[in-house]
Amino acid sequence: MKFNTKLIHAGIHPDPSTGAVMTPIYQTSTYAQDGPGNHKGFEYARTQNPTRKVLEDNLAAIENGAAAVCFGSGLAAMDAIIKLLKPGEEVLATHDLYGGSYRLLVRVFGPLGIKSRYIPMQNLEYFESQISENTKLIWIETPTNPLLQIVDIEAIVNIAKRKNIMVCVDNTFASPYLQNPIDLGADLVLHSGTKYLGGHSDVIHGAVICKTNELADQLHFIQNATGAVPGPMDCFLILRGIKTLHVRVQRACENAKKIVEYLQSNPKVNRILYPGIISHPGHEIAKKQMKDFGAMISFDLHNQELENAVRVLSRTKLFTCAESLGGVESLIGHPASMTHASIPKEDRIKSGLTDSLIRLSIGIEDSDDLIADLHEAIN
Ligand SMILES: *Cc1c(COP(=O)(O)O)cnc(C)c1O
């Protein structure tokens, strides 16, 4: 089955009891047993839920994994993955990491004895030199947030495999439509379903897709033992979102290209960070490992004053100033004062996150309207 068909059909069957075409929301906490232990595979809804099971089967199919495990949020999914490690073991992560992932590793797992280090992964020799005997997991984010850097997944996996280290890719920014890390050798794929999978900014959800059943069994154990499961309504919303993932992401990428062209023509715009631009240092790798270049764009202005960027953000009418990404509506954000405010200014600027950096999540509105809105706000 091809990808676009899998989105709509993989793992999904008409409901056996009624023939309902759409997977029902099984809003139940428990299931009748004919006698003790004599049940239909469902005992208690923390452990199994039919709506969640259909979503997990669908996700496994679209990311080409053996199985998937769903959670109440992207960070709950990450929390479960890090629980595969023991005190003394270490995570080596992409330097330009989602803020919540960084906070979870440093402030929750750090005190429990699981170490983490953050390094750029563009220079492979440097990357390899940073692996220690305690490195148990490599955590890749690509494209990164908000600097849109690209990591060569296959190259990192090849180094990790030689040393028997597990690799997880946070694939939230790309979505399974653009990039499938398990095909490139990754062991685990994380999604914040809140973003492109759900696609309509109406649900919080997370998932891990596993290359092997063995890893999925370990994560199902953690899912049941710690209980951060998503509700059936949330699973239904993600299933519904996935059915249009290909058309949404494709249109958003088309819009993003036109908006990049517009930004390139505006003399007030300084840097544009977008992997689709030929001069982007990760352009060739993105072309190799992604189907298209995504719908996230960051740019800054020649006038680097913070107030200048803030003025743009408060003037857009179609672009809503908000955190998050991946919905049908376009969003505009200011990393320095919103998502990355907890990073000291000096460190921020050193890594390229200037005070006037603006991040766009491009939706699927008409690109002419989006460009007109940005033009008004910037000029
Ligand atoms: C949003 C996000 C997360 C966290 O997901 P939640 O669903 O908000 O818990 C993790 N990684 C990336 C790249 C994200 O954008």
Side-chain angles (χ1 to χ4, degrees):
M1 214 189 280
K2 296 214 169 152
F3 181 82
N4 293 350
T5 311
K6 279 198 229 172
L7 289 174
I8 294 157
H9 292 291
I12 295 162
H13 318 280
D15 181 50
S17 60
T18 63
V21 169
M22 286 302 127
T23 308
I25 300 165
Y26 284 90
Q27 192 73 49
T28 186
S29 62
T30 190
Y31 309 86
Q33 306 192 7
D34 289 338
N38 185 5
H39 54 75
K40 299 180 169 67
F42 297 92
E43 297 150 279
Y44 184 66
R46 173 165 28 74
T47 321
Q48 311 103 347
N49 177 282
T51 318
R52 191 172 92 208
K53 174 78 171 71
V54 169
L55 174 58
E56 290 178 342
D57 290 349
N58 180 263
L59 282 167
I62 66 180
E63 278 289 16
N64 299 325
V69 191
C70 288
F71 294 89
S73 71
L75 286 179
M78 180 176 187
D79 176 78
I81 295 172
I82 307 304
K83 284 173 177 153
L84 297 170
L85 275 64
K86 293 191 238 0
E89 294 180 335
E90 176 195 72
V91 183
L92 206 52
T94 312
H95 149 82
D96 180 19
L97 197 66
Y98 175 72
S101 305
Y102 177 83
R103 181 178 56 200
L104 178 61
L105 286 168
V106 170
R107 304 212 16 215
V108 177
F109 284 104
L112 297 175
I114 293 170
K115 294 194 202 99
S116 52
R117 280 187 294 132
Y118 305 85
I119 57 166
M121 293 189 178
Q122 279 73 29
N123 179 337
L124 297 172
E125 262 168 53
Y126 175 74
F127 166 74
E128 186 161 358
S129 76
Q130 292 301 302
I131 293 174
S132 81
E133 56 183 23
N134 297 324
T135 308
K136 176 78 192 243
L137 173 66
I138 290 162
W139 191 274
I140 299 175
E141 216 180 284
T142 180
T144 63
N145 173 28
L147 298 175
L148 282 312
Q149 292 179 330
I150 300 292
V151 176
D152 187 335
I153 297 172
E154 204 167 16
I156 298 287
V157 162
N158 287 340
I159 295 168
K161 269 201 186 137
R162 266 192 270 125
K163 305 191 181 241
N164 225 354
I165 302 169
M166 214 163 35
V167 176
C168 179
V169 178
D170 182 338
N171 206 26
T172 301
F173 260 45
S175 91
Y177 175 71
L178 295 178
Q179 178 170 283
N180 299 114
I182 289 175
D183 291 350
L184 303 169
D187 301 286
L188 298 166
V189 175
L190 178 110
H191 278 288
S192 166
T194 313
K195 316 294 168 52
Y196 285 104
L197 295 180
H200 296 74
S201 308
D202 53 8
V203 57
I204 297 284
H205 174 90
V208 188
I209 299 94
C210 309
K211 178 156 76 179
T212 64
N213 279 312
E214 192 190 346
L215 275 169
D217 289 346
Q218 290 175 42
L219 284 163
H220 269 128
F221 172 80
I222 294 169
Q223 180 196 41
N224 182 49
T226 66
V229 293
M233 174 78 189
D234 292 352
C235 292
F236 173 87
L237 286 171
I238 299 291
L239 268 171
R240 185 162 87 155
I242 288 173
K243 289 179 202 293
T244 55
L245 181 76
H246 50 324
V247 283
R248 285 186 287 106
V249 178
Q250 190 178 22
R251 175 61 61 88
C253 289
E254 284 167 24
N255 281 352
K257 255 172 237 147
K258 290 180 190 156
I259 287 165
V260 165
E261 278 166 25
Y262 159 72
L263 291 171
Q264 284 172 325
S265 74
N266 187 323
K268 292 201 169 155
V269 173
N270 177 29
R271 284 184 312 162
I272 305 164
L273 308 178
Y274 182 66
I277 297 175
I278 294 171
S279 61
H280 184 291
H283 178 71
E284 286 303 322
I285 297 164
K287 214 155 95 178
K288 184 181 70 166
Q289 71 188 14
M290 296 172 77
K291 196 179 288 172
D292 204 335
F293 300 104
M296 298 299 297
I297 304 166
S298 291
F299 68 98
D300 67 6
L301 304 166
H302 281 298
N303 180 337
Q304 297 272 329
E305 294 302 314
L306 183 114
E307 302 85 75
N308 213 32
V310 169
R311 209 173 303 133
V312 174
L313 272 102
S314 47
R315 277 184 184 166
T316 55
K317 295 192 175 75
L318 277 177
F319 279 87
T320 306
C321 176
E323 295 191 6
S324 199
L325 61 117
V328 290
E329 63 289 305
S330 296
L331 301 180
I332 186 166
H334 184 239
S337 67
M338 293 166 71
T339 45
H340 293 66
S342 58
I343 304 172
K345 180 166 172 168
E346 265 173 41
D347 293 354
R348 259 199 286 116
I349 302 220
K350 219 188 297 163
S351 70
L353 207 164
T354 53
D355 273 350
S356 75
L357 194 80
I358 293 169
R359 190 190 82 174
L360 304 176
S361 168
I362 306 301
I364 61 173
E365 303 94 333
D366 192 291
S367 57
D368 290 346
D369 290 331
L370 294 176
I371 289 169
D373 192 39
L374 280 176
H375 189 72
E376 273 284 311
I378 296 173
N379 294 336

